[in-house]
Amino acid sequence: QRGAGIMSKIVFLSILMMCVTAPSRILPPFLLTGRRLPPFVSSVLNYIPFAVIGSQVFPDILWATGDFKSSAAATVVAFLTGWFSGNILVVLPASIAAAFLATRLF
């Protein structure tokens, strides 16, 4: 009974967060239709999401599994597969497998 109340609050808050963040992600492409940004501005904006995600994720990613060695192995594999493939569907399974194997080997 109590768990159902907590779940309904989580679902409600998730929907509320979606409603708040979706317009900021959906509207700009429609508002910029027909206008082009200067190439320098466009290239800078392309790197901002990666810089923000990197600054938020990097310190904690080295302890994500509770063991530095397996987390570091997964981080290195994720970086390399992301660099060479650029496909999240390759990066995620590869880094999970690296963490699993590093846990078993070390």
Side-chain angles (χ1 to χ4, degrees):
Q1 182 110 15
R2 184 171 183 224
I6 292 173
M7 282 303 292
S8 64
K9 288 179 183 179
I10 291 173
V11 170
F12 172 74
L13 290 174
S14 298
I15 292 171
L16 183 63
M17 287 188 294
M18 180 194 68
C19 292
V20 169
T21 60
S24 67
R25 296 170 189 251
I26 295 171
L27 290 178
F30 292 110
L31 296 176
L32 294 175
T33 303
R35 291 185 274 166
R36 290 228 173 237
L37 294 173
F40 175 75
V41 173
S42 179
S43 66
V44 168
L45 290 176
N46 283 334
Y47 289 104
I48 287 176
F50 296 112
V52 170
I53 290 171
S55 67
Q56 291 176 346
V57 169
F58 184 72
D60 293 329
I61 199 169
L62 295 175
W63 297 101
T65 64
D67 178 41
F68 178 78
K69 293 176 186 176
S70 63
S71 294
T75 302
V76 169
V77 169
F79 177 78
L80 291 174
T81 54
W83 182 270
F84 289 110
S85 76
N87 186 349
I88 193 73
L89 296 176
V90 174
V91 174
L92 285 175
S95 60
I96 291 169
F100 177 76
L101 291 175
T103 302
R104 296 291 181 220
L105 294 176
F106 301 121

